[in-house]
Amino acid sequence: EAGVAQSPRYKIIEKRQSVAFWCNPISGHATLYWYQQILGQGPKLLIQFQNNGVVDDSQLPKDRFSAERLKGVDSTLKIQPAKLEDSAVYLCASSLVGGQGQPQHFGDGTRLSIL
Amino acid sequence: AQSVTQLDSHVSVSEGTPVLLRCNYSSSYSPSLFWYVQHPNKGLQLLLKYTSAATLVKGINGFEAEFKKSETSFHLTKPSAHMSDAAEYFCVVSDRSSGGYNKLIFGAGTRLAVHP
């Protein structure tokens, strides 16, 4: 089966600019996740969708970050305006359902550098 | 809340020798635990998972982990390291998000180096 697709792979922007990332989950996966992975740390969940509804965005900096999952398939994550501390790898993952014990499948991520 | 602690930030082994990556967890209920591996500039790949069945879990590429409730540990082992095993390894515990859904809590990671 095709894996989780993300684009772009790399992005370099200046602070205060805006940026958007795209994710296409594995076909049939109802649950989609966006993670932020800062260099030297484990991934941190930003937002979780169940179909096209948000079920957890408690760690999303809502003053600058937004995400949507229209039609319950693809998703976009946006940062506006970007800050230096947003430099990280942004990982998208999906799982068949959202229950405990369900493994998540990850894309290769988008590496964001803020100048 | 659930949490994981990876006891070593770096582990270095010689090719052909055993690998041990240590993980302790904290959970208020019966946890689901995972080990993921991340190669440079790649996403995370699931190595194995524990979900309250057999306490010794076998994964891909010869890795296995043992769930020890009395020690709250879930250490990852491999009998013989291969050069291709060099990567970052994450111990992960499953928590419940505010909506009752699955939420993964990651450890800080252990970087495994394998020398010829």
Side-chain angles (χ1 to χ4, degrees), chain A residues 57-77:
Chain A
D57 62 358
S58 57
Q59 297 195 83
L60 186 75
K62 299 179 186 65
D63 58 333
R64 298 184 299 106
F65 286 64
S66 64
E68 60 182 9
R69 190 184 184 196
L70 299 176
K71 301 181 181 178
V73 182
D74 293 4
S75 178
T76 55
L77 176 70

Side-chain angles (χ1 to χ4, degrees), chain A residues 9-10 33 35 37 40-43 45 48 50 55-56 59 91 98-104 106-108 111, chain B residues 29-32 34 36 38 41-44 46 49 51 90 94 96-99 101-104 106-108:
Chain A
R9 286 299 316 277
Y10 305 92
Y33 313 80
Y35 290 87
Q37 185 177 21
Q41 299 180 17
L45 179 69
Q48 177 180 347
Q50 181 71 15
V55 298
D56 188 346
Q59 297 195 83
L91 295 164
Q100 187 185 12
Q102 286 292 320
Q104 296 179 18
F106 286 81
D108 286 343
R111 183 175 298 275
Chain B
Y29 52 86
S30 182
S32 292
F34 307 81
Y36 280 84
Q38 186 176 35
N41 297 315
K42 302 291 283 184
L44 289 90
L46 179 67
K49 68 174 184 177
T51 54
F90 292 95
S94 180
R96 293 196 187 105
S97 66
S98 56
Y101 289 94
N102 180 31
K103 176 179 178 178
L104 298 186
F106 285 78

Side-chain angles (χ1 to χ4, degrees), chain A residues 72-94:
Chain A
V73 182
D74 293 4
S75 178
T76 55
L77 176 70
K78 298 179 181 178
I79 308 175
Q80 182 178 16
K83 291 185 175 181
L84 291 176
E85 60 259 36
D86 299 333
S87 292
V89 175
Y90 291 85
L91 295 164
C92 179
S94 68

